[in-house]
């Protein structure tokens, strides 16, 4: 993120150039005329500018959405679904441009991350497009002379706020179910990664009536604040940090607006002694999201290794992780790209520095980023692992959102599970063992919204995903998620005796 407006803009070939923000089917600038520079974190150059929206722009977008709502709500659900399916195919047709745009602005490597995100985005529209007929209600048996049934009605204007780490996929995960269910939306893109979201909105608006989807670009408090507090917003859907999640929930409480929150995590990986094998090491690298610079709320950033395999497992982890190539996100050869911006980069470096200075912790591999050479041109960090006995220090408790993994030794299973649960977060968790009974017992004992056994993959549409504890509220990735988060149930009771 940069507010400098004096830097020259250097567009990058094969990526999307924004036309403004989308309000009421039109591409517009901000009411104030102010703009935000979008930075390529691999080169620290400005690659585009987007409008810097504030309260007046939020008002305009909410008014456009409000106006579009009655007609959109009245569209037969299957027809809404068909439009989403068309959007899915149009996104697929432009997936390479979308992937390059994502890689450019987020720093996520094209081959290992951004392409997957672009394809997943098309899949999300496909999945929800196919679910439109499932917006069913129930009949309630109140007796022969009464017909009581429920309807799933849309809420109205959904206010959505998204982060920068997987911006397009996370935007699709709100847009597709909300619109499928008959809502309209005003979305605020993250200030650091608005381009992919604007490109997706550009594709969407070819098929949608004006005002059904509106996308604003702006800063958190300045644009997200008025959106969260707008009196015409009927539902808030937020993905981001736990800290800002609390601000959103307070805004929702003021007007009793339903809210979905997908927040942070400090997810444990629990490795049993029988899993000291290559497949588990590959799984840990995946679960830690090292090829996304670990900028993922589901990153398995606390590695609980049984003492019998502690050293041998870490040796394998070092060999495989250090073989990954760090480099320009747009280069096909790169496995790992950059951290999003200078603020996050500095924050990650501070954590690494703190680990290096702690006498109880031992650096297994990694460390501070190079100060010279090609990697010093951008916000490149290197995968770093510290070994420690404790789950109680800052690096084991706080969400770093960077490639810093803390390995903790355990010998007693109950103690390992106690440590895994000793966190105010509860988003994801990973268990590694050949003993499936033991693996499932651990999965059931861990306090997390999502536990994977013997795999470290990402979310898939259809699977309800969301956090326990301060990792969030509500579920959005699935049919149930759509019904719970983006519809309200109405009961209609009819006296048949008259
Ligand atoms: P991250 O750590 O991923 O940047 P944030 O929670 O800071 O997570 O940001 C997620 C989204 O929330 C971004 O779009 C950001 O602009 C927005 N945001 C930040 N602060 C506020 C706020 N006070 N009110 C509304 N939205 C905010």
């Amino acid at each position: 993120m940069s507010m400098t407006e004096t830097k020259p803009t250097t567009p990058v070939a094969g990526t999307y150039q924004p036309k403004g923000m989308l309000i009421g089917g039109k591409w517009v600038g901000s009411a104030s005329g102010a703009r935000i520079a979008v930075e390529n974190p691999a080169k620290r150059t400005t690659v585009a500018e987007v409008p810097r929206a504030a309260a007046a722009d939020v008002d305009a977008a909410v008014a456009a959405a409000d106006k579009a709502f009655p007609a959109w709500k009245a569209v037969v659900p299957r027809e809404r679904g068909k439009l989403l399916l068309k959007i899915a195919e149009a996104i697929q047709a432009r997936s390479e441009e979308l992937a390059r745009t994502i890689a450019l602005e987020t720093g996520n490597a094209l081959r290992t991350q951004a392409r997957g995100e672009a394809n997943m985005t098309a899949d999300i529209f496909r999945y929800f497009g196919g679910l439109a007929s499932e917006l069913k209600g129930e009949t309630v048996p109140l007796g022969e002379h009464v017909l009581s049934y429920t309807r799933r009605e849309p809420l109205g204007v959904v206010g959505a706020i998204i982060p920068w780490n997987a911006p397009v996929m996370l935007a699709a995960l709100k847009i597709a179910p909300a619109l499928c269910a008959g809502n309209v939306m005003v979305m605020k893109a993250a200030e650091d990664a608005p381009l992919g979201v604007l490109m997706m909105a550009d594709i969407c608006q070819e098929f949608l009536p004006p005002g059904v989807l509106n996308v604003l670009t702006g800063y958190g408090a300045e644009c997200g604040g008025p959106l969260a507090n707008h009196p015409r917003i009927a539902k808030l859907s937020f993905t981001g940090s736990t800290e800002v999640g609390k601000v959103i929930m307070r805004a929702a409480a003021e007007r009793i607006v339903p809210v979905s929150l997908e927040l942070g995590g400090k997810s444990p990986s629990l490795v049993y002694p029988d899993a000291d094998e290559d497949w588990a090491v590959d799984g840990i690298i995946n679960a830690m999201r090292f090829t996304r610079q670990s900028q993922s709320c589901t990153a398995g950033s606390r590695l609980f290794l049984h003492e019998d395999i502690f050293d041998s497992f870490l040796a394998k982890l070092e060999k495989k992780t250090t073989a990954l190539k760090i480099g320009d996100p747009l280069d096909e050869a790169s496995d790992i790209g950059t951290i999003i911006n200078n603020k996050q980069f500095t924050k990650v470096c501070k954590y690494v520095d703190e680990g290096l200075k702690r006498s109880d912790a031992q650096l297994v591999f990694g460390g501070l980023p190079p100060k010279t050479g090609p990697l010093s041109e951008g916000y490149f960090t290197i995968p770093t692992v510290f070994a420690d006995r404790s789950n109680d220090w800052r690096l084991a408790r706080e969400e770093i959102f960077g490639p810093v993994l803390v390995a903790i030794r355990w010998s007693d299973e109950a103690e390992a599970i106690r440590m895994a649960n000793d966190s105010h977060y509860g988003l994801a968790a990973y268990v590694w063992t050949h003993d499936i009974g033991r693996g499932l017992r651990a999965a059931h004992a861990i306090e997390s919204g999502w536990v994977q056994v013997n795999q470290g993959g990402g979310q898939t549409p259809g699977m309800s995903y969301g956090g326990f504890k301060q990792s969030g509220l509500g579920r959005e990735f699935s049919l149930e998620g759509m019904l719970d988060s983006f519809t309200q149930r109405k009961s209609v009771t009819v006296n048949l005796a008259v």
Side-chain angles (χ1 to χ4, degrees):
M1 164 178 68
S2 161
M3 287 176 61
T4 357
E5 280 151 49
T6 48
K7 274 192 187 173
T9 301
T10 329
V12 173
T15 64
Y16 180 76
Q17 273 301 305
K19 309 169 192 169
M21 7 179 234
L22 183 64
I23 299 182
K26 295 204 170 62
W27 295 102
V28 297
S30 61
S32 70
R35 300 168 77 79
I36 299 173
V38 183
E39 188 182 35
N40 169 2
K43 305 220 184 289
R44 304 183 202 213
T45 50
T46 297
V47 290
E49 285 188 337
V50 294
R52 177 173 164 181
D57 307 290
V58 171
D59 282 344
V62 174
D66 223 4
K67 194 169 157 218
F69 180 52
W72 182 245
K73 177 184 172 182
V75 174
V76 175
R78 263 174 69 79
E79 294 304 317
R80 292 197 300 257
K82 279 185 198 161
L83 295 177
L84 297 183
L85 292 172
K86 284 185 188 162
I87 290 170
E89 292 324 307
I91 290 173
Q92 194 70 67
R94 287 176 70 187
S95 67
E96 188 61 16
E97 181 190 352
L98 184 57
R100 288 181 65 81
T101 304
I102 294 169
L104 177 70
E105 64 179 340
T106 63
N108 289 341
L110 180 65
R111 178 174 50 79
T112 61
Q113 298 302 318
R115 277 203 189 105
E117 182 174 343
N119 288 328
M120 173 63 97
T121 301
D123 257 356
I124 290 165
F125 278 93
R126 264 185 214 114
Y127 171 76
F128 285 105
L131 286 184
S133 302
E134 296 299 322
L135 292 154
K136 294 184 281 202
E138 299 109 25
T139 53
V140 188
L142 296 187
E144 281 309 303
H145 301 293
V146 182
L147 169 63
S148 189
Y149 62 96
T150 62
R151 287 161 52 84
R152 291 281 188 176
E153 297 191 357
L155 291 129
V157 184
V158 175
I161 297 176
I162 54 163
W164 43 261
N165 62 330
V168 180
M169 181 189 100
L170 294 173
L173 277 165
K174 299 193 188 305
I175 296 168
L179 269 49
C180 181
N183 301 281
V184 292
M185 180 172 276
V186 176
M187 169 170 280
K188 188 195 88 63
E191 53 269 41
D192 292 291
L195 303 179
V197 175
L198 289 171
M199 177 177 167
M200 177 176 53
D202 201 351
I203 296 173
C204 289
Q205 65 96 37
E206 283 175 39
F207 301 94
L208 298 174
V212 168
L213 173 65
N214 306 274
V215 175
L216 300 174
T217 50
Y219 291 114
E222 190 176 65
C223 176
L227 181 59
N229 288 288
H230 200 287
R232 295 296 303 162
I233 294 289
K235 152 91 195 186
L236 285 166
S237 174
F238 172 79
T239 302
S241 61
T242 295
E243 189 194 345
V244 177
K246 290 179 186 176
V247 173
I248 302 295
M249 198 162 168
R250 273 185 216 115
E254 222 25 73
R255 293 181 297 109
I256 317 289
V257 166
V259 57
S260 312
L261 303 170
E262 303 270 359
L263 308 176
K266 190 72 187 177
S267 300
S269 251
L270 181 58
V271 186
Y272 285 88
D274 66 339
D276 186 20
E277 292 169 359
D278 278 352
W279 63 270
V281 176
D282 290 334
I284 291 293
I285 291 170
N286 192 10
M288 180 51 186
R289 316 279 187 251
F290 271 138
T291 59
R292 243 173 93 189
Q293 305 75 255
S294 308
Q295 297 179 120
S296 161
C297 33
T298 51
S301 53
R302 291 184 295 148
L303 175 60
F304 293 99
L305 286 173
H306 191 272
E307 61 179 4
D308 292 351
I309 61 166
F310 195 80
D311 294 327
S312 57
F313 196 96
L314 288 179
K316 286 198 267 292
L317 184 64
E318 175 170 4
K319 189 156 174 257
K320 281 179 181 280
T321 307
T322 52
L324 296 169
K325 184 171 180 330
I326 307 171
D328 187 342
L330 285 168
D331 185 342
E332 292 288 340
S334 302
D335 296 299
I336 297 178
T338 71
I339 295 289
I340 184 80
N341 60 27
N342 195 34
K343 184 174 142 227
Q344 289 298 120
F345 175 78
T346 309
K347 185 177 149 199
V348 174
C349 292
K350 272 199 187 133
Y351 279 111
V352 174
D353 202 41
E354 185 173 329
L356 292 170
K357 289 191 177 126
R358 181 179 156 98
S359 53
D360 289 349
Q362 176 208 340
L363 177 71
V364 183
F365 62 87
L368 287 165
K371 291 213 160 51
T372 54
L375 293 188
S376 64
E377 271 175 37
Y379 306 120
F380 293 97
T381 51
I382 47 178
T384 298
V385 178
F386 288 104
D388 201 298
R389 284 190 173 273
S390 165
N391 181 46
D392 290 333
W393 59 309
R394 231 161 64 90
L395 269 68
R397 301 202 74 79
E398 295 179 10
E399 185 177 40
I400 297 174
F401 235 60
V404 184
L405 175 66
V406 176
I408 299 160
R409 204 183 284 265
W410 63 275
S411 52
D412 176 58
E413 186 182 23
E415 171 62 5
I417 289 174
R418 189 200 64 74
M419 284 193 287
N421 286 338
D422 183 18
S423 168
H424 63 283
Y425 291 119
L427 192 57
Y430 308 84
V431 178
W432 310 86
T433 177
H434 287 281
D435 180 340
I436 200 67
R438 187 162 66 174
L440 293 183
R441 282 195 300 277
H444 296 174
I446 290 174
E447 295 160 359
S448 279
W450 181 26
V451 186
Q452 295 186 69
V453 180
N454 295 337
Q455 64 166 32
Q459 302 89 313
T460 314
M463 188 199 86
S464 281
Y465 164 77
F468 281 16
K469 302 196 262 190
Q470 289 190 29
S471 287
L473 207 60
R475 303 288 181 265
E476 282 182 353
F477 278 54
S478 58
L479 170 61
E480 312 85 79
M482 172 173 77
L483 297 175
D484 292 350
S485 294
F486 294 112
T487 72
Q488 49 191 345
R489 240 200 202 98
K490 177 186 278 176
S491 291
V492 181
T493 306
V494 187
N495 178 0
L496 301 179
V498 286

